[in-house]
Amino acid sequence: MLPLLRTTFVTLLFCHVTHVVAQVVVTGQVIDERTNEALPFVHVSLSGSQQGVLADSEGRFALRVPALPAMVSVSYVGYPTVEVEVATAQPVIVRMRSLSRDLREAVVRPGVNPAHRIMEAVYRNRKQNDGLNAGSFRYKSYAKTIFTIEADSTLISDSTRTTAFDTSQQEILDFTSQQHILIIESATERSFRPPNGDHEEVLAMRVSGFEDPGLLALAATTRTFSIYEPLIPLGEKSYMSPVGAGTASSYLFVLEDTLYQDVDTVFVITYRPRTGKNFDGLAGTLWVNSDGYALQNVIAGPVDRGDGQGVKVQQVHRKVNGTWFPVQLNTTYFFDGISLDGFHPIGIGRVQLRDIETGIDVSRKEVRGAELDLDPMALKRDEAYWRSLRTDSLTAKDLKTYHVIDSLSKAENLGKTLKGLDALLTGRIPWGPVDIELKRLISANAYEDVRLGVGLSTNDRVSRVARAGGWFGYGFGDGGWKYGGDLRIKPMPSRALELRGYYANDLVESAGIAYRGPRSLLLNDDIRLLYLDRMDRVERIGGEVHFRIGSALKAWVGTASELRINDLGYRYVQPRAENVQQYISDFRSGEVSVDLRYAFREQVAQLPDRQVNLGTKWPILHISSATGIAGLWGGEQQWWRISAMTEKTFRTRRLGTPSVRIMAGMADADAPYPFLFNIRGTRGKAFWVNTPYAFETMVPGEFLADRFVAVHYRHSFGRLLLKTRKWQPIPSILSSAGVGALGHPENHSGYDFHSMEKGFFESGVEVLFKNDLSALGVGVYYRYGDYALPDAADNLYLKLTIGIGL
């Protein structure tokens, strides 16, 4: 029996090997005939057979055939099937011509459309098939991104158009036919531990033309969206995922093809928003594998590229240790808003994941610290190191790009330009060993009218550890000079630990609130400062330490000596004896302050010279507290106050973008006016621009409180209600409410104000007309409740609305 079994086994093995050896592997690439762009995930099979293979995201395939010559069938959504005779083992190029067809709304009776049943199964199995959220994992990656001209492929094949080019257009075409504009390579290692332990280290980074890529290092991250999530973030917007409960009512799904791959069936389903459904949706193609109804390949992109830019994403998923996991991530960036003699820049990114491990034990230590960390050696890797990472060698265009752009960078000092742009985004312009602080050049408010000034601080060319600065300014409205300076010391430049000493002779908002944390140079919230008309002169000298506690909490602890002087007629009434009162307009304090900023699960990138906040989807909490201690630094006032603010923007699938900000505060009821709370009102007399998260119909300084709560709600509908080609209307509704109390109004003289015990209410409607990256519109606001004005017309207020980068 044993010899018979042995003989049978050897015979079967010989037959199998003979069959395999007899087969020939046909390799090649499938491209679009007109654009020469690779067609991803094309089905390639032997003619007459349903069994075949899917090409990769670059259109490359490898198909086994019994012998040559062989007839190969190639099919793809939106293209007629092509049959090609392959006579040799040399790689073949298969060109497919797209169909010119209008995808009209399909009429499908409920329960009949087979694509719906498949998508429902995809949704039911989403948790087990979502490798990015199914458990812990670890992988390494290599990425290459090139930036070129969109016409590089579309116009070269059209000789009738290229012959009509002028000189500059022909130069652009010649340039991009030989090289790219820019090339970026990176390699990372990422570890993830549920629910939020995430750490990615940049092992290598290379950007043509730049020895130090600065903030470009942030582009090295391989974090991507999961198509199974309800909302898909692409760029600055979020889109409704096609995978979800009831998405068939919003998306049109069409089963375009059924393919056979080994023992599995692959369903090819196209999707796009249904006609008449107005929401931020995607369009693309899904390849659903019958093995667990998992998404094997994904193509997704916004339906509307009306913002002057767009993005298209491809994901390739494979089973790794029994878990479906992305193994390749491709992204194409469109910059339609930028035109170079009729050409548009385009970015093409390719990320390959390897050494993928799923369902493993990832320790807490492995994911501790910043979510993205740049290895100090990442910018110094040699060519041998890079060759070990690449799955394919660099093309001739890639190599020429490095050579030409590196040479151009040295000649034109592009590295210095990038550092200048980096500084500009943080509000500074480098000028040799010093930086010019943009915020000091010009400012405006109702008290000073216009202030002009200069602020300078040393930069990294002097020292990475210490930075000294000084500034001065002149206000034309009050006719006063302001000046000051500071010294900042960072013992570890890359860490969030900073010591600061400062002196300032300046103005501050009387009873105002300010919170610490990162701020943008162009921030709509700062428009409120233009309305300020009650300000105090301040001479202040102090010191503070800034540090981070864990990954979520930042703290500023300081002490200062301060003299405040009011020149507008305010007097603090302080009883001294029976029927004796003292009126005080200047206040000397010795102060201790603690400011906190808590951002739960906020992602942080650790660069060689700084930490960069990458945001969080959770509410951010700000706390500001201070107390004046009599006798400290010669202080004469005893007071305390604490305030808090939290804010959150919500992303919804169909209802737009609601956001809310809540502010509250408590203070010593016996404190002078500057140490209480001036409720934020922005109804001006000579300025009519909206101020998000303030009371639009409340006059500045109209209400004073030692305890208060204010809630501001805004709901932007984006382009859900109406879409147009040019200026896109973006309607919003908003409501604000506040309530407060003032324990001793009799202690304050010289200012007109009210307390807010009865509650202040207002609502309004805004319409922004957006074009590319800016927006302009109008807002109408109405004041109502117990503090409504006697004349109804006075409760109605009209303002200009401005949006930046919406």
Side-chain angles (χ1 to χ4, degrees):
M1 179 65 69
L2 187 59
L4 179 60
L5 289 175
R6 184 186 299 114
T7 301
T8 303
F9 174 76
V10 171
T11 302
L12 292 174
L13 181 61
F14 175 78
C15 292
H16 175 73
V17 171
T18 303
H19 172 71
V20 172
V21 171
Q23 286 185 318
V24 179
V25 177
V26 175
T27 62
Q29 185 181 32
V30 186
I31 63 175
D32 185 283
E33 182 181 71
R34 184 181 66 87
T35 66
N36 288 330
E37 294 179 352
L39 298 178
F41 318 133
V42 173
H43 186 249
V44 183
S45 64
L46 190 64
S47 294
S49 173
Q50 292 183 322
Q51 288 287 340
V53 297
L54 287 179
D56 66 12
S57 62
E58 300 295 330
R60 293 187 291 257
F61 65 88
L63 175 69
R64 292 186 180 275
V65 299
L68 295 177
M71 191 65 70
V72 173
S73 177
V74 182
S75 62
Y76 193 56
V77 176
Y79 293 75
T81 300
V82 173
E83 292 197 345
V84 179
E85 184 178 13
V86 181
T88 69
Q90 296 298 318
V92 296
I93 299 296
V94 181
R95 291 178 169 83
M96 303 186 73
R97 175 177 296 181
S98 62
L99 292 170
S100 297
R101 61 172 183 170
D102 179 18
L103 294 177
R104 302 182 185 277
E105 182 79 35
V107 179
V108 180
R109 294 185 178 89
V112 174
N113 188 346
H116 289 177
R117 293 196 295 268
I118 297 171
M119 292 306 301
E120 289 169 0
V122 171
Y123 178 68
R124 286 196 304 269
N125 294 293
R126 67 192 184 282
K127 292 184 178 180
Q128 68 189 49
N129 293 327
D130 186 4
L132 291 173
N133 293 301
S136 58
F137 59 79
R138 185 187 297 119
Y139 64 73
K140 292 182 180 179
S141 74
Y142 165 76
K144 182 177 75 172
T145 302
I146 60 103
F147 290 88
T148 184
I149 298 296
E150 190 171 24
D152 189 25
S153 59
T154 59
L155 292 186
I156 289 178
S157 59
D158 191 345
S159 58
T160 60
R161 296 183 64 185
T162 56
T163 55
F165 285 162
D166 59 29
T167 303
S168 61
Q169 289 176 315
Q170 190 61 50
E171 288 177 350
I172 293 175
L173 195 60
D174 292 342
F175 178 87
T176 55
S177 66
Q178 301 177 44
Q179 68 174 76
H180 313 301
I181 299 174
L182 185 73
I183 181 171
I184 303 174
E185 290 184 283
S186 62
T188 70
E189 184 173 16
R190 183 185 176 194
S191 301
F192 177 79
R193 173 191 172 99
N196 65 307
D198 201 346
H199 179 77
E200 186 168 16
E201 184 173 8
V202 182
L203 305 175
M205 182 81 182
R206 187 180 181 187
V207 182
S208 60
F210 302 102
E211 294 183 2
D212 182 358
L215 286 177
L216 290 178
L218 299 179
T221 181
T222 61
R223 289 177 178 84
T224 186
F225 65 85
S226 168
I227 192 67
Y228 297 99
E229 293 286 346
L231 290 173
I232 306 299
L234 292 177
E236 297 297 322
K237 297 183 65 174
S238 294
Y239 300 85
M240 178 178 168
S241 172
V243 179
T247 54
S249 63
S250 300
Y251 278 104
L252 172 65
F253 297 101
V254 178
L255 179 60
E256 300 281 359
D257 205 350
T258 301
L259 311 176
Y260 301 93
Q261 180 179 296
D262 297 329
V263 297
D264 299 323
T265 302
V266 178
F267 305 102
V268 183
I269 298 175
T270 58
Y271 63 96
R272 62 179 175 84
R274 288 183 176 274
T275 301
K277 298 292 184 177
N278 203 355
F279 64 97
D280 289 328
L282 302 170
T285 309
L286 305 173
W287 282 257
V288 181
N289 195 298
S290 60
D291 182 4
Y293 286 90
L295 293 175
Q296 180 172 319
N297 301 314
V298 174
I299 296 179
V303 174
D304 185 8
R305 278 164 52 181
D307 292 341
Q309 54 188 334
V311 61
K312 182 175 72 174
V313 177
Q314 298 173 354
Q315 293 182 342
V316 181
H317 298 250
R318 295 289 182 268
K319 261 199 167 180
V320 179
N321 298 328
T323 302
W324 286 94
F325 200 87
V327 297
Q328 186 171 347
L329 314 169
N330 299 340
T331 307
T332 304
Y333 306 94
F334 304 97
F335 303 95
D336 302 331
I338 302 175
S339 179
L340 304 172
D341 283 332
F343 298 87
H344 300 286
I346 186 172
I348 303 172
R350 301 288 184 264
V351 180
Q352 297 281 350
L353 305 187
R354 60 184 179 87
D355 299 340
I356 301 171
E357 301 174 84
T358 61
I360 56 174
D361 182 25
V362 175
S363 66
R364 293 181 181 275
K365 182 179 180 181
E366 190 174 341
V367 295
R368 189 174 298 158
E371 279 73 16
L372 183 66
D373 200 344
L374 183 63
D375 187 319
M377 292 298 297
L379 306 178
K380 302 177 182 179
R381 302 297 189 186
D382 58 20
E383 188 59 33
Y385 186 89
W386 281 108
R387 282 197 299 268
S388 69
L389 297 174
R390 298 178 183 126
T391 54
D392 291 323
S393 300
L394 293 180
T395 66
K397 291 180 70 172
D398 297 337
L399 294 171
K400 187 167 184 179
T401 302
Y402 273 123
H403 175 72
V404 173
I405 302 300
D406 285 349
S407 301
L408 180 64
S409 175
K410 292 179 181 179
E412 301 294 333
N413 205 357
L414 295 182
K416 183 178 180 181
T417 302
L418 181 63
K419 283 185 174 293
L421 178 60
D422 185 6
L424 181 62
L425 293 174
T426 58
R428 306 189 309 271
I429 298 178
W431 183 34
V434 299
D435 291 340
I436 301 173
E437 299 181 4
L438 294 179
K439 66 179 181 180
R440 300 290 184 184
L441 295 179
I442 184 170
S443 60
N445 55 67
Y447 186 92
E448 293 179 286
D449 289 340
V450 176
R451 179 201 282 199
L452 299 179
V454 174
L456 301 175
S457 64
T458 60
N459 54 33
D460 290 349
R461 296 183 62 177
V462 176
S463 173
R464 292 185 60 198
V465 175
R467 174 171 294 192
W471 58 270
F472 68 89
Y474 179 79
F476 289 88
D478 66 334
W481 287 94
K482 295 87 182 176
Y483 49 87
D486 66 353
L487 174 66
R488 300 171 185 264
I489 298 176
K490 289 187 174 183
M492 296 177 288
S494 63
R495 302 298 171 183
L497 174 63
E498 180 181 85
L499 307 175
R500 176 175 177 253
Y502 61 91
Y503 169 83
N505 194 315
D506 201 0
L507 294 173
V508 296
E509 179 184 4
S510 189
I513 310 170
Y515 296 100
R516 309 297 289 269
R519 299 182 64 82
S520 170
L521 181 64
L522 298 174
L523 192 65
N524 287 7
D525 205 19
D526 287 342
I527 295 176
R528 186 189 69 87
L529 304 180
L530 298 171
Y531 291 92
L532 297 184
D533 57 359
R534 291 184 178 178
M535 305 188 78
D536 300 325
R537 287 193 292 119
V538 173
E539 184 178 23
R540 184 180 178 93
I541 183 170
E544 67 178 13
V545 58
H546 165 45
F547 54 94
R548 180 187 290 271
I549 303 174
S551 61
L553 182 63
K554 288 184 176 181
W556 294 260
V557 179
T559 183
S561 173
E562 178 186 272
L563 174 63
R564 283 184 179 240
I565 301 175
N566 183 281
D567 295 323
L568 295 177
Y570 169 77
R571 299 293 183 267
Y572 176 60
V573 182
Q574 187 172 30
R576 289 300 185 185
E578 187 175 354
N579 298 323
V580 177
Q581 296 176 324
Q582 183 180 10
Y583 291 81
I584 304 173
S585 61
D586 56 281
F587 311 94
R588 184 175 295 277
S589 296
E591 167 185 319
V592 175
S593 62
V594 177
D595 293 89
L596 303 173
R597 178 182 182 273
Y598 183 76
F600 181 61
R601 295 186 180 177
E602 182 175 47
Q603 296 185 344
V604 176
Q606 181 64 64
L607 303 182
D609 61 340
R610 82 196 83 167
Q611 283 189 339
V612 179
N613 294 323
L614 302 179
T616 176
K617 65 179 182 179
W618 299 91
I620 299 176
L621 175 64
H622 303 263
I623 297 176
S624 178
S625 65
T627 181
I629 302 175
L632 179 64
W633 313 122
E636 300 171 354
Q637 301 293 326
Q638 189 84 22
W639 56 271
W640 60 268
R641 79 170 187 169
I642 183 171
S643 65
M645 176 182 74
T646 186
E647 53 190 345
K648 167 64 178 171
T649 297
F650 301 87
R651 307 291 179 182
T652 66
R653 297 201 301 173
R654 296 184 177 92
L655 300 178
T657 308
S659 58
V660 63
R661 176 183 287 186
I662 303 173
M663 300 179 65
M666 294 182 63
D668 185 346
D670 293 319
Y673 186 104
F675 311 113
L676 300 179
F677 300 107
N678 173 17
I679 308 302
R680 294 180 170 184
T682 59
R683 177 167 181 158
K685 298 179 181 178
F687 193 73
W688 304 277
V689 177
N690 78 311
T691 50
Y693 304 115
F695 290 97
E696 305 283 2
T697 63
M698 180 189 294
V699 176
E702 184 177 356
F703 292 93
L704 182 69
D706 54 50
R707 289 153 290 166
F708 83 98
V709 176
V711 179
H712 303 280
Y713 176 81
R714 302 176 63 85
H715 192 125
S716 172
F717 293 96
R719 286 170 291 166
L720 298 180
L721 302 183
L722 183 63
K723 292 186 179 182
T724 60
R725 287 288 182 182
K726 271 293 187 181
W727 288 90
Q728 303 153 5
I730 302 177
S732 301
I733 58 173
L734 59 150
S735 288
S736 296
V739 62
L742 184 63
H744 298 287
E746 69 277 5
N747 289 350
H748 311 283
S749 173
Y751 274 166
D752 291 328
F753 57 81
H754 304 282
S755 57
M756 206 166 58
E757 288 90 349
K758 298 178 181 180
F760 185 95
F761 304 94
E762 69 175 21
S763 297
V765 177
E766 295 176 353
V767 179
L768 280 168
F769 295 92
K770 188 177 184 303
N771 187 12
D772 293 338
L773 297 180
S774 62
L776 190 67
V778 65
V780 180
Y781 314 92
Y782 189 76
R783 170 173 175 164
Y784 53 93
D786 287 306
Y787 294 108
L789 301 176
D791 189 341
D794 292 336
N795 293 309
L796 195 65
Y797 204 59
L798 184 71
K799 286 187 175 183
L800 182 70
T801 59
I802 298 175
I804 300 173
L806 293 172

